[in-house]
């Protein structure tokens, strides 16, 4: 079996996409994050993220993947926050949750990752939760340092 070392050793299917603009999250309901057509695209090898489906990453290759995400909530001292992955639209893995709201100008940042076996036509999405009693923004990742706002990532680990 002959391989191209450039593609084999250097090129890896992966995407890291940041939220294009703040998104209002209703209270007491899990909400899918929509990165937006103007998303901050840090990496999109293999075109596994597309503006036409801005809420998901579709790997396109079956195998083991590392899927990660992060969310930053606007300041609010009330309620809890949560972060989870969806796989083909169904709840798959909680990433982080149960964090109480904080005030004093601080924002809550939740992150997490999971290693998963994904089929060629599967897709992953990021959902967030908050129960502050009203809408609460999640913060965009535009113009910020990588992974300081809201983001979704997937990296192919192998077959």
């Amino acid at each position: 079996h002959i391989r191209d070392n450039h593609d084999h050793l250097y090129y890896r299917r992966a995407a890291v996409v940041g939220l294009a603009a703040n998104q209002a999250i209703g209270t007491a309901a899990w909400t899918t994050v929509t990165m937006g057509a103007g998303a901050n695209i840090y990496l999109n090898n293999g075109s596994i993220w597309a503006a036409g489906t801005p809420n998901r990453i579709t790997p396109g290759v079956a195998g083991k993947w590392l899927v990660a995400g992060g969310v930053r909530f606007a300041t609010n001292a009330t309620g809890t926050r949560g972060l989870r992955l969806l796989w083909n639209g169904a709840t798959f893995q909680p990433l982080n949750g149960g964090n109480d709201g904080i005030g004093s100008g601080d924002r809550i940042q939740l992150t997490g990752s999971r290693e998963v076996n994904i089929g060629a036509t599967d897709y992953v999405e990021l959902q967030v939760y908050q129960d502050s009693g009203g809408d609460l923004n999640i913060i965009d990742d535009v113009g910020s340092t990588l992974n300081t706002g809201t983001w979704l990532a997937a990296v192919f680990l192998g077959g």
Side-chain angles (χ1 to χ4, degrees):
H1 184 272
I2 297 174
R3 70 177 186 206
D4 177 339
N5 280 337
H6 179 269
D7 286 345
H8 180 76
L9 299 174
Y10 175 75
Y11 180 84
R12 183 172 297 273
R13 278 187 176 267
V16 181
V17 183
L19 184 66
N22 292 354
Q23 181 179 340
I25 305 300
T27 191
W30 284 97
T31 304
T32 300
V33 175
T34 300
M35 296 301 169
N40 196 1
I41 302 168
Y42 295 105
L43 180 66
N44 196 17
N45 288 345
S47 300
I48 65 174
W49 180 85
T53 52
N55 58 319
R56 64 179 66 164
I57 289 178
T58 307
V61 172
K64 187 173 285 192
W65 287 77
L66 178 65
V67 180
V71 62
R72 178 172 251 175
F73 286 93
T75 303
N76 185 298
T78 305
T80 58
R81 314 290 182 263
L83 176 66
R84 71 182 183 189
L85 286 175
L86 296 184
W87 185 5
N88 298 327
T91 301
F92 173 58
Q93 287 283 337
L95 292 178
N96 203 326
N99 299 68
D100 293 329
I102 55 176
S104 305
D106 293 327
R107 297 175 176 174
I108 291 179
Q109 176 88 32
L110 304 176
T111 60
S113 63
R114 294 287 184 271
E115 215 174 88
V116 295
N117 288 313
I118 294 179
T121 59
D122 293 340
Y123 62 90
V124 292
E125 299 171 287
L126 194 64
Q127 276 197 334
V128 296
Y129 177 88
Q130 65 87 17
D131 61 1
S132 67
D135 286 356
L136 185 62
N137 278 348
I138 55 174
I139 307 303
D140 68 46
D141 205 51
V142 175
S144 62
T145 305
L146 174 62
N147 303 346
T148 61
T150 301
W151 55 277
L152 177 62
V155 178
F156 183 63
L157 300 176

